[in-house]
């Protein structure tokens, strides 16, 4: 069972940007939908974006539309999440996984994003 690997989190000031990366298997990258979800302490898991391999179509939850962009990096089996105009409410552990919610599988250890001044 292949686990996806997330990276790119960190501490950023409100209004700042971060780019998260998710390394997948070749099969997952070429044939499955890859999604990002986040979970903050004491809160439920929240699906935030996903991208479909067959046509590149994307989905975003309302709270990140216009601020986050999901993309595929061909040749690297990598899905990226560009996050701009970050807000303190975006603070959470971010995970990538196979699926577009509400069910996910094969997520990795996650990468922490903290938005604070």
């Amino acid at each position: 069972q292949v686990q996806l690997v997330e990276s790119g989190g960190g501490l950023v000031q409100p209004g700042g940007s971060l780019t998260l990366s998710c390394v997948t298997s070749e099969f997952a990258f070429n044939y499955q939908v890859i999604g990002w979800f986040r979970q903050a302490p004491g809160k439920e898991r929240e699906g935030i974006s996903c991208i479909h391999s067959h046509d590149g179509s994307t989905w975003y939850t309302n709270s990140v539309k216009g601020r986050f962009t999901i993309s595929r990096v061909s040749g690297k089996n990598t899905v990226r999440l560009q996050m701009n105009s970050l807000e303190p409410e975006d603070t959470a552990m971010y995970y990538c996984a196979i699926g577009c919610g509400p069910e996910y599988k094969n997520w990795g250890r996650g990468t922490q994003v903290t938005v604070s001044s």
Side-chain angles (χ1 to χ4, degrees):
Q1 191 166 350
V2 177
Q3 273 194 321
L4 283 62
V5 180
E6 307 92 341
S7 64
L11 172 64
V12 64
Q13 292 186 343
S17 299
L18 282 174
T19 301
L20 306 185
S21 293
C22 171
V23 178
T24 78
S25 68
E26 184 173 358
F27 180 85
F29 184 82
N30 288 322
Y31 298 106
Q32 295 180 297
V33 58
I34 304 297
W36 286 92
F37 65 89
R38 64 189 179 188
Q39 189 158 21
K43 294 188 177 181
E44 292 188 355
R45 184 170 69 185
E46 178 188 21
I48 53 176
S49 183
C50 64
I51 187 165
H52 293 259
S53 61
H54 69 282
D55 63 358
S57 59
T58 58
W59 168 84
Y60 300 93
T61 194
N62 285 340
S63 63
V64 308
K65 281 182 182 177
R67 300 190 298 123
F68 291 11
T69 304
I70 192 170
S71 62
R72 289 155 47 86
V73 183
S74 297
K76 294 189 176 183
N77 298 334
T78 297
V79 173
R80 289 200 174 131
L81 186 69
Q82 174 69 42
M83 307 187 297
N84 299 326
S85 302
L86 284 162
E87 304 166 351
E89 293 73 22
D90 295 316
T91 295
M93 186 71 81
Y94 283 68
Y95 301 87
C96 67
I98 295 171
C100 198
E103 297 297 326
Y104 296 95
K105 59 181 181 179
N106 297 71
W107 60 87
R109 294 184 176 184
T111 186
Q112 177 68 39
V113 172
T114 303
V115 185
S116 175
S117 55

